[in-house]
Amino acid sequence: MDKKEHPRRRAGWKAAGTRWMLSALAAFLYRGKVHAAEVSMTLSDTQGNTRAFDTMDILILFLLLAVVPSLLVMMTSFTRIIIVLSFLRSALGTQQSPPNQILVGLALFLTLFIMQPVFSQVNTQAYQPYKDGRITREEALELAQDPMKEFMLRQTEKKSLELFLDISKTTLPEGGGRGRTGTL
């Protein structure tokens, strides 16, 4: 039996491809008005006060949900704790007992326990004033960075910090104050 494609089938594919290309070209050249939907959400508290979330607030919320796991790993003691727990598991001679989920859960709990003073400082200095409307979102983010920077500076060896400062050709601000957080 011949394995060549039937001529009618080949012509059908060519016609379908031509139709698809013409449709794509027509859609690309269409100059009519296209309207995008506006997304808005309104939340109310127990007293009936409402606050509207606009598109930007929703995008920031989704960004935070996507970025929070990375921040947890980079800016807290989570990585150190999970490494120590995995070394401990290896030292005990057990390969998969306790399972990784248990180790991650323990590391997460210990991280929250260790970071609780920092989180409460961020809450009182940045989040509560922002929530009460006394400061803007940008000011809140700026104020929230200070306790995190202090924590990260306490957890970083001086030699390692100097190495990364030399590589980035920057200097640490006096007292670790406001400045770039990329090096930390």
Side-chain angles (χ1 to χ4, degrees):
M1 185 144 191
D2 191 30
K3 293 189 177 186
K4 288 187 175 183
E5 194 173 349
H6 195 274
R8 284 187 192 160
R9 186 177 295 165
R10 193 175 324 133
W13 282 106
K14 280 185 179 181
T18 304
R19 283 192 301 265
W20 185 85
M21 289 296 285
L22 288 174
S23 299
L25 183 63
F28 181 71
L29 295 175
Y30 177 69
R31 301 268 178 171
K33 288 187 177 182
V34 178
H35 300 284
E38 175 68 28
V39 178
S40 180
M41 183 170 53
T42 305
L43 299 175
S44 61
D45 60 9
T46 55
Q47 286 82 24
N49 300 329
T50 61
R51 180 177 185 270
F53 275 80
D54 61 352
T55 306
M56 196 63 181
D57 287 333
I58 294 171
L59 284 174
I60 289 172
L61 174 70
F62 283 135
L63 174 74
L64 285 177
L65 288 175
V67 172
V68 163
S70 299
L71 293 177
L72 175 75
V73 170
M74 291 187 305
M75 297 175 63
T76 64
S77 53
F78 178 82
T79 306
R80 285 183 178 188
I81 293 170
I82 196 71
I83 289 171
V84 168
L85 288 176
S86 66
F87 282 162
L88 180 62
R89 179 173 65 184
S90 296
L92 291 173
T94 59
Q95 291 182 354
Q96 291 298 321
S97 183
N100 286 336
Q101 283 183 318
I102 301 292
L103 291 183
V104 168
L106 283 171
L108 186 61
F109 175 75
L110 288 171
T111 299
L112 292 175
F113 181 74
I114 290 169
M115 295 292 297
Q116 194 277 332
V118 176
F119 291 150
S120 87
Q121 203 175 5
V122 167
N123 183 38
T124 57
Q125 289 179 3
Y127 180 68
Q128 291 300 326
Y130 170 68
K131 185 178 160 189
D132 295 340
R134 293 182 293 189
I135 60 174
T136 64
R137 182 182 304 147
E138 291 80 17
E139 291 172 328
L141 288 174
E142 194 70 29
L143 289 172
Q145 286 181 6
D146 291 340
M148 293 301 293
K149 281 183 190 178
E150 289 174 20
F151 175 79
M152 289 189 295
L153 277 172
R154 285 194 313 264
Q155 302 300 319
T156 306
E157 292 178 350
K158 189 173 181 167
K159 279 184 168 182
S160 299
L161 184 60
E162 289 172 356
L163 171 71
F164 284 107
L165 288 171
D166 287 342
I167 291 171
S168 66
K169 294 179 177 60
T170 58
T171 58
L172 190 65
E174 196 61 38
R178 297 186 193 277
R180 286 190 53 208
T181 55
T183 308
L184 283 177

